Amino acid sequence: MTQSAAFLFDMDGLLLDTERLFMQSFLALTEGIGIKRAAAEPFFLSLVGTSAAVTGRRLTEFLPATVTASEFEANWRKRHAENVASGVPLKDHVTEVLKALRGQGARMAVVTSTGGKDARHHLQHAGIFEYFEQVKAGDEVSANKPDPAPYREAAEALGVDPKDCVAFEDSDLGTQAAVAAGCLTYQIPDLRPAGKALPDLGQKVRPNLRAALIDLGLIAETTV
């Protein structure tokens, strides 16, 4: 392929294996207020890739009238913060991929729906913050995914055209945003509702980041 101007990465579920921890906290809390996992898990999966504002609105609709959504969300985020305090797990091949790209002089940014303070903390705690020139967080952009604004603004911050960027996403909403911004987009699915088909948006689908870089011709298939 031709040399890309930059590589733009989603964070949760793509670089960091935080979605599962977030779901664990959610299921524990919903179980405590009498919501069965059969209802709670699909609802959580429908939130993947949404902004904090959308999550808050959806929670208000989902939770029983006797539960204050803002208090529930605060408890949920507190429990999640406690879960990740001992370490933020990386997804498969993340360190290998970031080292390979940096070794080739690649420019990289994170484009996440998570708030800036938490996003930077998680990236630092996971030991990968240093790889990125920019972090465009959910509270730092003009609109949230699936709007293309986060990817366009990340590219602008790097001084490049989004059409010259490669984007990596796990969620459908994030993939929609990256494709709409004009990026060459790889979707690497993480948590999904059972049987839900991937959207056909013109993205490429690969099982992990390493496979995406092999497809791009940026690392050899035999690399260990």
Side-chain angles (χ1 to χ4, degrees):
M1 62 167 290
T2 58
Q3 182 67 36
S4 296
F7 297 84
L8 311 178
F9 295 81
D10 177 50
M11 187 180 75
D12 295 296
L14 188 281
L15 293 172
L16 307 181
D17 199 11
T18 43
E19 295 288 14
R20 283 174 178 76
L21 294 178
F22 216 33
M23 184 169 71
Q24 289 171 13
S25 301
F26 183 78
L27 295 178
L29 287 173
T30 50
E31 181 181 16
I33 57 174
I35 299 176
K36 294 183 178 180
R37 182 176 182 131
E41 184 170 328
F43 175 76
F44 172 85
L45 294 177
S46 75
L47 296 177
V48 172
T50 60
S51 66
V54 171
T55 294
R57 290 197 298 270
R58 296 278 311 279
L59 277 174
T60 300
E61 299 167 357
F62 176 74
L63 294 171
T66 54
V67 177
T68 303
S70 59
E71 291 181 4
F72 178 94
E73 186 171 6
N75 288 334
W76 178 18
R77 296 189 182 281
K78 179 176 181 292
R79 182 177 289 230
H80 177 65
E82 292 168 351
N83 284 345
V84 301
S86 59
V88 182
L90 292 173
K91 296 288 289 182
D92 291 345
H93 308 293
V94 166
T95 301
E96 175 193 359
V97 162
L98 296 179
K99 284 183 177 179
L101 288 175
R102 183 170 66 178
Q104 297 173 34
R107 306 183 67 192
M108 293 180 275
V110 168
V111 186
T112 178
S113 295
T114 297
K117 181 180 178 181
D118 287 342
R120 290 175 177 85
H121 176 267
H122 291 338
L123 292 167
Q124 288 169 341
H125 203 179
I128 59 173
F129 180 76
E130 63 178 301
Y131 290 96
F132 302 103
E133 291 184 42
Q134 295 284 334
V135 175
K136 280 295 178 183
D139 56 353
E140 300 171 349
V141 291
S142 61
N144 293 118
K145 303 172 186 179
D147 193 285
Y151 279 98
R152 288 176 177 165
E153 291 169 22
E156 181 181 3
L158 292 173
V160 299
D161 191 317
K163 293 180 180 178
D164 295 326
C165 296
V166 179
F168 304 99
E169 272 284 352
D170 66 294
S171 72
D172 294 351
L173 294 180
T175 299
Q176 183 179 337
V179 171
C183 303
L184 171 60
T185 304
Y186 281 83
Q187 185 171 12
I188 298 164
D190 185 37
L191 298 179
R192 300 185 63 77
K196 183 178 181 180
L198 291 170
D200 184 7
L201 302 171
Q203 79 277 34
K204 297 188 175 187
V205 179
R206 294 296 181 272
N208 54 57
L209 282 170
R210 187 176 186 278
L213 257 65
I214 290 171
D215 186 71
L216 289 164
L218 296 175
I219 61 173
E221 193 164 359
T222 55
T223 299
V224 177

